[in-house]
Amino acid sequence: MSERTQQIIEAARTLIEEGGSQSLTMRAVADRLGIRAPSLYKHFPDKLAVEAGVIAIAMDEVAVALATASSLSELATAYRAYAIEHPHIYRLMNSGPLPRHLLPAGVEDRAALPLVRAAGGDENVARAIWAFAHGMVILELDGRFPPGADLDAAWRTGLAAFGDPVQH
Amino acid sequence: MSERTQQIIEAARTLIEEGGSQSLTMRAVADRLGIRAPSLYKHFPDKLAVEAGVIAIAMDEVAVALATASSLSELATAYRAYAIEHPHIYRLMNSGPLPRHLLPAGVEDRAALPLVRAAGGDENVARAIWAFAHGMVILELDGRFPPGADLDAAWRTGLAAFGDPVQH
DNA sequence: GTCTATAGGACGATAGAC
DNA sequence: GTCTATCGTCCTATAGAC
């Protein structure tokens, strides 16, 4: 992967962090690098490929962020923390259609692995917990809970239901 | 509410059902009614107001669809069924920023009421179950579960965790 | 690998006549 | 309440020179 290629993905990532997926345009990426938009097409076939590059990086980051969690509640805390620190990236990575064919093999699985382990290898439990965690995060990011709602309490309630020993 | 106003919302709704939110354009709405786009602005101040009209209708529909459920698993079944029958409308209603100031008072609460009741009035339980259900639905709609995943089983696992008596 | 020029299109919204 | 005309803006992507 050439240096320019990496710079392009970096610039794309920064744009998304700052203004959401909608701020990712080929012109804006080029501006950030001090070149013209058409030049980008010497490095990437199209915009979707750039986006996929950002998603791949983000999934690796999540895998790392979750790797050291040693309990379900630590996992949940780390998951939520990543989402709140990088709301636009989280959305890009976890909403809408995923361009799987443009992603390096195994990236998606690596991000999911810590959760599968925490679920004791039970796929159904892992999927149910994933749904709960993603639901909590995305509803929070989208401002869907009532103002003043105690989300920590909702998280604890859900995690307890899934067998996490409650912390005091 | 004038007839034209209702026709506009109906047309907008149909466009979204057919092609997602992205297919909702003032031009397309006008085309469907056999008029020109600028005429719409005599009935709605802007596009967001049209969108809000569709959301309000959809929330009422959900309230009705969930009203007759008499157990948590019936509620979940009805919730998932609505989402799968109207995936684009579900997304419009439950993703991204909600234009609350353009929605009739109480609509959001009415849609949420059946779930709050099923949770025995416990806000934290209601929010956790909502997050789980929304997570399951949106991950399914977005094709995020592995192909062949047994989603019925994941639903049962989650609902059981939240205290639903398992059905056989 | 960069550039200029441009194709080719979409969109929301306004002005002003009727 | 509808129309025509149009403004202003933004976008992805290609062709071809250097």
Side-chain angles (χ1 to χ4, degrees):
Chain A
M1 192 187 257
S2 82
E3 195 174 345
R4 206 33 138 190
T5 302
Q6 276 178 309
Q7 288 173 337
I8 291 169
I9 293 180
E10 255 311 301
R13 188 229 166 89
T14 305
L15 285 166
I16 293 169
E17 293 255 27
E18 287 175 354
S21 301
Q22 172 199 62
S23 297
L24 173 61
T25 71
M26 298 303 263
R27 289 190 211 293
V29 169
D31 278 356
R32 228 170 207 281
L33 298 178
I35 63 177
R36 304 291 177 177
S39 306
L40 298 172
Y41 292 87
K42 297 286 181 181
H43 303 275
F44 288 85
D46 52 31
K47 187 188 164 186
L48 190 61
V50 177
E51 212 170 276
V54 177
I55 293 175
I57 286 187
M59 284 188 169
D60 273 340
E61 280 179 359
V62 168
V64 170
L66 302 186
T68 62
S70 60
S71 70
L72 183 52
S73 74
E74 275 184 33
L75 201 61
T77 301
Y79 190 85
R80 186 182 177 194
Y82 184 91
I84 289 181
E85 262 175 65
H86 311 282
H88 296 303
I89 294 288
Y90 181 89
R91 248 188 273 266
L92 174 72
M93 189 176 18
N94 292 297
S95 301
L98 187 67
R100 285 207 168 85
H101 58 293
L102 296 177
L103 257 33
V107 182
E108 209 180 346
D109 288 342
R110 271 200 298 284
L113 188 68
L115 178 54
V116 176
R117 242 191 303 128
D122 184 322
E123 290 178 327
N124 293 321
V125 173
R127 285 171 193 151
I129 295 177
W130 182 30
F132 166 69
H134 174 61
M136 285 298 301
V137 159
I138 202 73
L139 291 171
E140 180 178 8
L141 294 184
D142 285 347
R144 296 303 179 118
F145 290 114
D150 186 347
L151 300 188
D152 287 339
W155 271 99
R156 278 196 302 272
T157 299
L159 293 175
F162 285 112
D164 187 64
V166 182
Q167 323 278 321
H168 293 286
Chain B
M1 191 188 256
S2 83
E3 196 174 344
R4 205 34 136 190
T5 303
Q6 275 179 309
Q7 289 172 340
I8 290 170
I9 293 180
E10 255 312 299
R13 189 229 165 91
T14 304
L15 284 166
I16 293 169
E17 294 255 27
E18 287 174 354
S21 302
Q22 171 197 66
S23 297
L24 174 60
T25 71
M26 297 304 263
R27 284 172 163 83
V29 169
D31 276 357
R32 229 171 206 279
L33 298 178
I35 62 178
R36 303 292 176 177
S39 306
L40 298 172
Y41 293 88
K42 296 288 181 179
H43 303 275
F44 288 85
D46 52 31
K47 187 189 164 185
L48 190 61
V50 177
E51 212 170 276
V54 177
I55 293 176
I57 286 186
M59 285 189 168
D60 272 341
E61 280 178 1
V62 168
V64 169
L66 302 186
T68 63
S70 60
S71 71
L72 182 53
S73 74
E74 276 184 34
L75 202 62
T77 301
Y79 189 85
R80 186 182 177 195
Y82 184 90
I84 289 182
E85 263 174 65
H86 311 282
H88 297 302
I89 295 288
Y90 181 88
R91 249 188 273 266
L92 174 72
M93 188 175 22
N94 293 297
S95 302
L98 186 66
R100 285 206 168 87
H101 57 293
L102 296 177
L103 257 34
V107 182
E108 209 179 348
D109 289 342
R110 270 200 299 285
L113 188 68
L115 178 53
V116 176
R117 242 192 303 130
D122 185 322
E123 290 178 328
N124 293 321
V125 173
R127 284 169 195 151
I129 294 178
W130 181 29
F132 166 69
H134 175 61
M136 284 298 301
V137 158
I138 202 73
L139 291 171
E140 180 178 8
L141 294 183
D142 285 347
R144 294 302 179 121
F145 290 114
D150 186 348
L151 301 188
D152 287 338
W155 272 98
R156 279 195 302 272
T157 299
L159 293 175
F162 285 112
D164 187 64
V166 183
Q167 322 280 321
H168 293 287

